[in-house]
Amino acid sequence: MTPFKTELFLPAQAAAETEATIIKWLVAKGESIKKGQYLAEVESAKSTFEFEAPCDCVVETILCNEGDSVPFEEPVMIVTTADSSMASQPATAVSEDEPEPVSELPKMEILEKKSEEPVKTVSMLGIGTYLPSRIVKTKELLAEYPDITEEYIFGVTGIKERRWAADEKPSDMAYEASVKAIEQSGLNSKDIDAIVVSTTTPDVVMPSTACILQGKLGIRGVPAFDLNAACSGWLYGISVAKGLICSGVAKNVLVTAVDMQSRVLDKSDRNTYFLFGDGAGATVVSASDSGHLIKQEILTADSGGLTMARRHMPGYDIPNESNDFDPWVRLDGRALFKFATESFSSLVRELIIKSQWQAQDVRWVVPHQANGRIIKAAAKKSGVPFEKFYLNIDRVGNTSSASIPIALQEIENGLQKNDKVIFCTVGAGITAAGLSLQW
């Protein structure tokens, strides 16, 4: 290729840094340089580094002096090179272990949507859910357990079938539920001021599934983050959203729960294999009195239950090589049964008191769909008849933090204005949460 002149730029450092200082030039005008040769010693606010030549070249002009501070977007020298890779882009001295630069760097957008007046009421505006199309009946799973019957599994879990994802990622399921929630809320994506995603099975460790969801929704310039409270995550997320609203950070917060446990189940572990399904549920929490009024919340956790429900590896899939650690979901069934039963009943009783309701006022209790037997046992101690506890676990299984919004979506058409609804849940941690809602 015919030699041509091109500009060289200092390699960009941390996102918050805008310039760097030339400490010492190691080359001079007219000098022939080999690719990878050090051109200068450079100091930024957070590091000192050597500026490397991105190609074989000859120094034509050095554009700044030692001691000068240079913005990263301004060139520091002009060189002549025959390297074709330098013809279409400026040199940035990218090291071999760094990812390829993106073709167009995003510009940080900061959208100010703070409330100007104190928030008096916070409500839920819409519900959206998603369940994978594949239905997995218990009979299919019993191929691994010829000594167990469908009747036995239903008797101890309350589950007949569950939904398992095929080619979806957790963020795909979260997107489907979120779009429906935003649409039902009467808002547009541009009205969303923050995104909170509850998940124990993120797409990747980082970036957060919330940021991935943000991209799918086409939303920019608002906070987005994941939280992990296991099966309690959706209710934790609603309380966090309420806090963002009451502090003036946001007006409308998308709270989405998504879990894909089917990929992280050990076929040989009968304590977990039959329990879990996949799914997603979402709502918009808003500084509005036109939605379903959030009355009271209860959040708690106790590290004494760390071993009751656990998984030692992040993500929604298991790598091919996992011999050095246990990658599967593990449960202590007996301990969980006792803790969940007591927690569910205590949460229901406490929320009735805090909301200044009577037990007979409650239209529905929508519990986390953990296990049919747990819910029946909890109902006996709660003061609310079992007939008012809504169960769909027989059809969808335990969908972790998505289970409450999925169940709520099934009953919402039958709810009347001012109906009183209670949510309660427990999760790994061990966590527990409850919320009262006036429809």
Side-chain angles (χ1 to χ4, degrees):
M1 186 173 181
T2 302
F4 59 93
K5 291 183 179 181
T6 187
E7 298 172 328
L8 298 189
F9 298 76
L10 293 176
Q13 301 300 298
E17 298 189 61
T18 60
E19 62 181 17
T21 301
I22 303 295
I23 302 301
K24 182 179 182 181
W25 282 111
L26 304 177
V27 296
K29 180 179 178 180
E31 187 174 343
S32 295
I33 306 298
K34 293 293 185 181
K35 181 177 181 180
Q37 183 176 335
Y38 292 154
L39 304 177
E41 294 178 1
V42 185
E43 184 178 71
S44 68
K46 296 184 178 180
S47 65
T48 300
F49 59 93
E50 282 78 27
F51 175 28
E52 298 181 6
C55 60
D56 292 348
C57 58
V58 175
V59 178
E60 294 290 337
T61 306
I62 294 178
L63 300 175
C64 53
N65 299 318
E66 293 178 353
D68 287 352
S69 294
V70 186
F72 289 119
E73 65 270 18
E74 293 184 8
V76 294
M77 65 166 48
I78 298 174
V79 300
T80 297
T81 181
D83 190 330
S84 60
S85 67
M86 300 298 296
S88 59
Q89 59 183 8
T92 54
V94 178
S95 64
E96 293 182 358
D97 60 350
E98 290 180 326
E100 290 292 326
V102 296
S103 58
E104 182 180 354
L105 291 175
K107 294 181 179 179
M108 178 60 66
E109 294 188 11
I110 301 175
L111 304 183
E112 293 291 342
K113 296 186 178 182
K114 292 186 177 182
S115 301
E116 297 179 357
E117 299 180 357
V119 176
K120 296 180 180 179
T121 59
V122 179
S123 63
M124 291 169 50
L125 292 185
I127 301 292
T129 64
Y130 175 79
L131 289 168
S133 58
R134 182 190 171 195
I135 298 174
V136 180
K137 294 184 178 296
T138 297
K139 182 178 180 180
E140 179 180 338
L141 305 183
L142 288 176
E144 306 291 332
Y145 292 91
D147 60 321
I148 300 178
T149 65
E150 294 177 67
E151 291 75 18
Y152 173 78
I153 295 299
F154 179 71
V156 297
T157 67
I159 302 171
K160 294 181 179 179
E161 61 187 39
R162 70 286 291 151
R163 303 290 187 95
W164 281 5
D167 298 325
E168 301 108 318
K169 292 182 178 180
S171 63
D172 297 326
M173 300 199 301
Y175 171 77
E176 296 293 337
S178 299
V179 168
K180 294 174 184 176
I182 295 171
E183 180 180 355
Q184 192 189 96
S185 72
L187 302 176
N188 297 311
S189 295
K190 63 181 176 60
D191 298 316
I192 300 301
D193 307 320
I195 300 172
V196 180
V197 171
S198 160
T199 186
T200 58
T201 55
D203 280 19
V204 290
V205 175
M206 62 178 182
S208 68
T209 301
C211 284
I212 297 172
L213 174 61
Q214 183 185 38
K216 291 178 182 288
L217 292 170
I219 301 172
R220 296 185 65 186
V222 304
F225 58 93
D226 290 356
L227 64 80
N228 179 352
C231 299
S232 304
W234 192 64
L235 294 187
Y236 266 63
I238 290 175
S239 291
V240 169
K242 184 177 178 181
L244 292 173
I245 291 168
C246 291
S247 66
V249 172
K251 294 181 180 178
N252 302 304
V253 182
L254 175 66
V255 180
T256 303
V258 60
D259 278 298
M260 189 183 289
Q261 304 288 9
S262 62
R263 308 280 184 87
V264 296
L265 300 177
D266 181 358
K267 291 183 178 181
S268 66
D269 182 0
R270 65 180 66 196
N271 287 327
T272 62
Y273 190 46
F274 302 98
L275 282 177
F276 291 99
D278 302 332
T283 190
V284 176
V285 180
S286 178
S288 168
D289 57 6
S290 62
H292 313 305
L293 180 64
I294 296 173
K295 295 282 289 182
Q296 298 289 335
E297 313 116 85
I298 297 174
L299 302 180
T300 187
D302 188 341
S303 60
L306 285 174
T307 62
M308 290 186 192
R310 61 200 184 278
R311 181 174 175 237
H312 295 159
M313 177 186 170
Y316 74 99
D317 214 347
I318 302 297
N320 292 329
E321 297 182 4
S322 56
N323 296 327
D324 296 335
F325 54 87
D326 182 1
W328 311 108
V329 171
R330 301 297 183 191
L331 303 177
D332 183 342
R334 291 183 179 179
L336 274 175
F337 187 97
K338 182 177 180 180
F339 180 86
T341 300
E342 294 295 333
S343 296
F344 278 12
S345 58
S346 296
L347 287 166
V348 172
R349 293 194 304 268
E350 187 66 22
L351 285 167
I352 290 172
I353 295 171
K354 292 184 68 173
S355 304
Q356 298 182 343
W357 295 344
Q358 300 296 321
Q360 61 268 25
D361 296 334
V362 177
R363 175 68 178 87
W364 282 112
V365 175
V366 183
H368 162 49
Q369 307 292 305
N371 177 295
R373 288 198 307 155
I374 289 175
I375 297 171
K376 288 181 181 179
K380 293 180 180 179
K381 298 182 178 183
S382 70
V384 178
F386 176 65
E387 292 74 22
K388 291 189 174 184
F389 280 68
Y390 185 77
L391 275 71
N392 65 353
I393 190 172
D394 60 319
R395 292 176 283 106
V396 299
N398 179 345
T399 53
S400 302
S401 62
S403 71
I404 290 178
I406 290 172
L408 177 60
Q409 191 272 330
E410 292 185 1
I411 65 171
E412 67 170 331
N413 288 337
L415 290 171
Q416 303 294 320
K417 184 175 176 59
N418 293 323
D419 275 351
K420 297 171 175 58
V421 184
I422 285 177
F423 308 128
C424 54
T425 180
V426 297
I430 198 161
T431 60
L435 185 146
S436 58
L437 189 75
Q438 185 168 309
W439 199 259

